[in-house]
Amino acid sequence: MTKYFKGLDTLRAIAALIVVFQHVEELKNTFGIPNLYAGNSPILPDGHIAVILFFVLSGFLITYLLIKEREKSGRISLKDFYMRRVLRIWPLYYLIILLSYFIVHTDVSAKTIALCLTIFPNVAYALGEGWTSSPQLWSIGVEEQFYLFWPIILIILPEKKVIQSLILFFIGYSILQHLVGFINVRTWNNESLGLFMNRLFYGTKFNCMALGCMLGYALAKDKSWIRYITKDVILVSAILLSTALWFFRFEMKYFTDELYAVLFSIVIIGVVRNDRINIDTKLSRFLGKISYGIYMYHWIVLILMFRWINYDGNQILFNTAIYLLSFVGTILLAWVSYNTIERYFLNLKKRFETK
């Protein structure tokens, strides 16, 4: 069963393009080229927050579809669900591992290879041995690990307990990182353990995905309180506030990701259910449709562009070339991939959808 929600493609496109934008600036910084990091520019939207948006979006849509599948067929088929995930995510994931290994030529340990091949790239990152040939792969591991258990939990949980359980998980998991850090400092004071846990919790945001799941469940069940979130003033306020905080890199000492997850949740529900506000355009819908490819291919494209385009001191010329070729190249590659490799597996995926 498929479901199209207005606005979601645009949100995916925004998130994917911001990840590309930040990585361009990161690589400029790495190669000693003038960049927004070195200039301490406040207008540099955080690519990590873009991934938080992806997490909330993913939890929202997948949970909604699972609930609608159960309402239509009377059950949630775990086999069908896992096959849909495998056919949508794994082909491109493993292709990027293969391509980046040979194209980027980064030395990786046997441990890193083993963890990434078994869909634990976030653990490799937490160990300080991430897949640097395509570092964005860590987030794919987070999603696959979460969805290994979430459908089972959804089947087991009584319907009256789903929302309460997700809220409790969101709060508990959000606190867990700081609790573990506090215990470590007060007892073992193990620096390596502390660094590992900080890296692990920084990326493995199961709580943000759970928040998206809660909203997807609430929408599927048509909870009455949803209509308050979709009011014009609430939606516009959430869009403006999240955009302002994001683009000016607002962060708190604690719970920054959780704050953005809450704001993004309001935005998602609003753009989906508010009939008077539509953020979609033909371009944004197109980019949203191929956003998975944009996210997955962009690092390889960027590395190639930085190898081929030399910086000679002319910032205007260099930035024009690097941004134009990087974005156009990534989008073109993602579009070709979507209509060839991904299309083949998407057609196979339809066999496991609820009719």
Side-chain angles (χ1 to χ4, degrees):
M1 180 178 65
T2 58
K3 170 70 177 179
Y4 177 78
F5 285 117
K6 70 178 183 68
L8 297 193
D9 277 338
T10 297
L11 294 177
R12 290 190 191 98
I14 291 170
L17 294 177
I18 285 178
V19 169
V20 180
F21 174 73
Q22 172 164 326
H23 282 164
V24 170
E25 293 300 318
E26 281 186 5
L27 285 170
K28 285 165 62 180
N29 189 53
T30 299
F31 290 114
I33 300 168
N35 59 87
L36 295 179
Y37 283 106
N40 294 318
S41 172
I43 305 179
L44 180 61
D46 191 344
H48 174 72
I49 300 302
V51 177
I52 299 301
L53 175 54
F54 275 132
F55 284 162
V56 180
L57 277 167
S58 177
F60 166 80
L61 185 57
I62 284 193
T63 303
Y64 179 92
L65 293 176
L66 285 173
I67 296 303
K68 289 303 180 183
E69 175 186 342
R70 183 162 64 184
E71 290 179 353
K72 188 171 185 178
S73 66
R75 69 188 184 96
I76 292 174
S77 171
L78 293 177
K79 183 196 76 172
D80 288 351
F81 173 79
Y82 293 137
M83 286 303 301
R84 291 195 298 268
R85 291 298 300 175
V86 166
L87 291 170
R88 181 64 187 110
I89 302 300
W90 288 24
L92 200 51
Y93 174 84
Y94 285 109
L95 177 61
I96 294 300
I97 286 181
L98 183 66
L99 290 176
S100 62
Y101 182 82
F102 289 104
I103 293 175
V104 181
H105 303 302
T106 301
D107 291 332
V108 290
S109 67
K111 182 192 300 182
T112 299
I113 293 174
L115 286 170
C116 291
L117 290 179
T118 52
I119 317 290
F120 287 96
N122 55 318
V123 177
Y125 166 76
L127 292 170
E129 300 184 36
W131 192 265
T132 53
S133 297
S134 270
Q136 76 280 9
L137 293 183
W138 66 266
S139 67
I140 306 302
V142 175
E143 291 205 18
E144 295 306 274
Q145 293 154 31
F146 182 84
Y147 291 130
L148 183 62
F149 297 104
W150 171 234
I152 300 173
I153 295 171
L154 190 57
I155 291 171
I156 295 172
L157 273 178
E159 290 197 14
K160 292 183 179 180
K161 299 292 184 180
V162 172
I163 290 181
Q164 297 93 317
S165 298
L166 287 169
I167 291 174
L168 289 174
F169 179 82
F170 176 76
I171 295 171
Y173 193 91
S174 300
I175 295 172
L176 181 61
Q177 172 185 359
H178 308 292
L179 179 61
V180 170
F182 176 80
I183 292 173
N184 181 41
V185 169
R186 295 289 180 173
T187 54
W188 314 293
N189 199 22
N190 187 315
E191 184 176 347
S192 297
L193 175 63
L195 183 59
F196 171 79
M197 296 307 296
N198 284 338
R199 285 174 172 168
L200 183 67
F201 279 107
Y202 174 78
T204 309
K205 292 296 182 179
F206 292 152
N207 52 344
C208 298
M209 296 184 70
L211 191 61
C213 293
M214 184 197 75
L215 289 168
Y217 182 87
L219 184 63
K221 291 296 184 179
D222 198 24
K223 296 295 182 180
S224 59
W225 51 267
I226 289 291
R227 66 175 180 270
Y228 297 106
I229 302 178
T230 62
K231 290 184 177 180
D232 290 4
V233 64
I234 300 295
L235 173 57
V236 172
S237 298
I239 291 174
L240 292 177
L241 181 59
S242 58
T243 301
L245 295 179
W246 191 1
F247 276 70
F248 285 94
R249 301 182 70 84
F250 172 82
E251 58 183 55
M252 305 183 295
K253 187 174 182 180
Y254 303 113
F255 308 121
T256 298
D257 292 348
E258 289 73 20
L259 169 64
Y260 282 102
V262 171
L263 290 173
F264 290 151
S265 297
I266 297 171
V267 171
I268 290 168
I269 287 291
V271 299
V272 164
R273 286 292 300 269
N274 190 306
D275 295 329
R276 291 179 296 277
I277 298 177
N278 187 358
I279 63 173
D280 282 334
T281 65
K282 287 184 178 180
L283 177 61
S284 66
R285 287 182 62 181
F286 164 73
L287 293 174
K289 183 179 293 186
I290 63 171
S291 59
Y292 181 44
I294 292 173
Y295 184 75
M296 294 297 280
Y297 286 109
H298 80 275
W299 187 265
I300 296 174
V301 174
L302 294 187
I303 292 296
L304 292 176
M305 291 303 106
F306 273 88
R307 287 178 181 173
W308 295 338
I309 303 174
N310 294 319
Y311 176 66
D312 60 1
N314 188 328
Q315 292 187 45
I316 295 176
L317 182 61
F318 177 81
N319 282 324
T320 300
I322 201 71
Y323 270 103
L324 180 63
L325 294 177
S326 294
F327 275 83
V328 171
T330 299
I331 291 168
L332 180 60
L333 184 56
W335 176 74
V336 172
S337 173
Y338 182 83
N339 287 286
T340 54
I341 301 168
E342 293 172 67
R343 178 75 67 186
Y344 173 78
F345 289 101
L346 285 171
N347 288 333
L348 292 180
K349 175 174 169 278
K350 291 177 182 178
R351 300 178 185 179
F352 301 94
E353 295 178 351
T354 304
K355 301 295 188 285

